[in-house]
Each structure stands twice: as structure tokens, then as C-alpha cells.
Amino acid sequence: MHHNGLRTAALMGGMSALILALGAWLGGGTGVQIAFVLAVAGNGAAYFFSDRIALSAMRARPVSEVEQPALYRVVRELSTEARQPMPRIYLSPTAQPNAFATGRSPRRAAVCVTYGLTRLLDERELRGVIGHELSHVYNRDILISSVAAALATMITWISYVAVFFGGSDDDEGPGFVGALLMMVLGPVAAGLIQTAISRAREYQADESGARLTGDPLALASALRKIEMGVRRLPLPENSRLTSASHMMIANPFSGSGFGRLFSTHPPTSERVARLERMAGYRR
């Protein structure tokens, strides 16, 4: 887990350095300041309302203990084990097996599972999934992903500003050709770094969640089943679901072709292999 934390810090540092380099190349602080304000405003709103956005996108509703006693039992036991408040629990009617957690802090957290997940997993596997999702909350991943998104937005806006303020070959800016390259390559670089951060957070949630449950192989088994379920029932890629997809335990979309490059989730096979190594499992 320490390794994943260092990797996240290094990636975010690299993204910050890229912003400074782009700003210096552009030669003007005004564009950087505008990008900063827009990024903070847009991603600040996403940070404060991320739970509502994600729950609405999945058409989730609060679920009672009478309806889902096993789910409540697992969430309560793991919250108690972690000495954290019990989160709100939601159920999405989606047939695809998936789950996510959201909330700015443990006191504002919510855990959502799909109907498909409750039908697919046994209680031991469900415990592994909930441990993973609660770890996202305890690791403050909503804050980290919001900061990463803000930095990525800044890079994108600086790249666009370069076209308007750095497009002349007569000044000390990047020149028109350089500005066009920046407009294309800047967002791509930001997207790749943001993807790497998201993947590092998934690995960390796998590891810390497995430590919380004390059963890495349960999560490994659940991930295998979830991957097969997602392949059979991929969700449509609309804007609402895309904005919430990075929170889910598995990429809810087909993830085929070029889209794999920007997938916020690492390969399931690698996640399973890491969990098996944690358990000392040998094939």
C-alpha cells in the first residue's frame, strides 16, 4: 500500500510539473490563472456533489436492512472492524454486477451495489467487495481523484489557451504549430496521468480492503465473477455513467479497442495476481 501511495504522489507531482512547464512555455500567467479558477470551480462542484451524481446515474435508491440483511450485516461488521461510522447503503436496479462507494469522508459515505452483484456473489465474496469500497472512502480517494481531475482540467485549458495567446511565431510563445501540438498532446498526457492515478488507487483499495477483511482470495474470486458479468452486460457509455464509472469496482463499459488505454481500472488479471500474492497463494 505504501508503494501505491508513493506512486500516486509521484504521478500528481508529475502532473503539477507539466502544468508549470506548459505555463512557462506559454509565457503568460493569465492563462494559467484562468485555467486554475475554472478547474477548481468545476471539480469543486463535482467533489461536493459526487455522491448525488453517481447515485443518480445508477438510479440507486436507499435500501433497508429488511430488504438486504446480508449486505447490512457485512457493511456493519466491516465498519465496526475499521472503527468508522456505518455508511448509507443503496441498491441500483442494474443487472450488471458492480459496486461503488462515494462520499467526502467516512461520515458522509455511501455504498451502492447493483442488483446483479447481490445475485452473483456469495456472502464471502460480497464481504471482499465491500472491504474494497470502504477502503476507497477511508483512503480519501474522492478527494484525490478530485484533485487529479482539477489538475487534468488545468492542463487541458492551458493547452487550449495556448492556441489563442501563444499562436504567433513573432513572440516568445510556443508558436502556432507548437500551440496546436500542445492543444492535442496536453489533454492526452493529462488523461494518461489521471488514468495512472486511478489505477494506483484501485490497487491500493484492493490491498487495504483485503487487509480489512483478512481474506484477499475472496476479493480475487469476486473480481473474476464481476469481470465476466460486465462482459456479458456492459453498460451504455453515456455522459452520466461515464462521470461515475471511475468509482466502480470494475469498468462498467465494454473496454474494447483504443478505450483500454484510458481505462481507469487496471486489468483484472493483474489485480487478482496481486491479491493471490498477498494470500501467499501458489498455482
Side-chain angles (χ1 to χ4, degrees):
M1 187 167 70
H2 180 65
H3 171 75
N4 287 324
L6 288 176
R7 184 184 179 194
T8 300
L11 288 167
M12 295 184 76
M15 191 178 286
S16 300
L18 180 57
I19 290 173
L20 294 176
L22 288 174
W25 191 31
L26 184 58
T30 302
V32 176
Q33 292 173 6
I34 293 173
F36 175 77
V37 171
L38 292 173
V40 170
N43 292 285
Y47 173 64
F48 284 105
F49 299 106
S50 61
D51 53 347
R52 299 181 189 178
I53 295 171
L55 292 169
S56 174
M58 292 297 290
R59 297 179 289 121
R61 63 174 179 83
V63 66
S64 69
E65 187 167 4
V66 174
E67 295 175 272
Q68 291 290 333
L71 178 59
Y72 261 81
R73 180 168 58 252
V74 167
V75 174
R76 182 180 292 112
E77 288 175 356
L78 291 178
S79 299
T80 301
E81 178 69 22
R83 298 181 180 179
Q84 296 287 352
M86 184 165 171
R88 295 167 290 148
I89 301 177
Y90 287 79
L91 181 69
S92 166
T94 306
Q96 180 193 98
N98 223 316
F100 66 90
T102 185
R104 305 192 302 276
S105 69
R107 292 190 177 279
R108 296 178 178 272
V111 172
C112 177
V113 302
T114 64
Y115 177 75
L117 189 83
T118 65
R119 301 287 293 177
L120 180 67
L121 305 185
D122 61 31
E123 188 165 330
R124 177 174 169 245
E125 293 164 337
L126 178 63
R127 185 180 178 88
V129 168
I130 297 301
H132 170 100
E133 296 305 332
L134 290 177
S135 292
H136 273 309
V137 176
Y138 303 154
N139 294 340
R140 299 300 197 274
D141 283 342
I142 302 301
L143 174 60
I144 292 171
S145 63
S146 296
V147 172
L151 294 175
T153 302
M154 283 186 67
I155 292 173
T156 300
W157 275 98
I158 291 172
S159 301
Y160 292 158
V161 167
V163 175
F164 297 100
F165 293 94
S168 174
D169 291 314
D170 297 329
D171 55 29
E172 297 180 356
F176 183 72
V177 174
L180 287 178
L181 286 174
M182 189 187 297
M183 185 177 70
V184 174
L185 298 179
V188 170
L192 289 174
I193 296 174
Q194 190 177 6
T195 294
I197 291 172
S198 296
R199 292 184 178 187
R201 304 315 296 172
E202 286 300 316
Y203 283 134
Q204 184 163 351
D206 284 346
E207 183 176 343
S208 53
R211 294 189 187 281
L212 176 60
T213 63
D215 191 358
L217 294 181
L219 178 56
S221 177
L223 287 173
R224 290 193 195 96
K225 288 185 177 181
I226 291 170
E227 181 181 38
M228 290 187 293
V230 168
R231 286 180 179 178
R232 287 196 301 266
L233 297 167
L235 296 183
E237 294 192 43
N238 59 52
S239 59
R240 296 181 68 203
L241 287 174
T242 300
S243 65
S245 62
H246 70 281
M247 298 181 182
M248 300 183 192
I249 194 168
N251 184 353
F253 309 125
S254 60
S256 59
F258 185 73
R260 291 181 180 178
L261 183 65
F262 291 95
S263 175
T264 54
H265 295 73
T268 298
S269 58
E270 177 59 27
R271 296 171 71 180
V272 168
R274 290 184 179 218
L275 290 165
E276 289 178 343
R277 288 195 292 271
M278 281 187 68
Y281 179 75
R282 296 291 184 273
R283 292 185 183 276

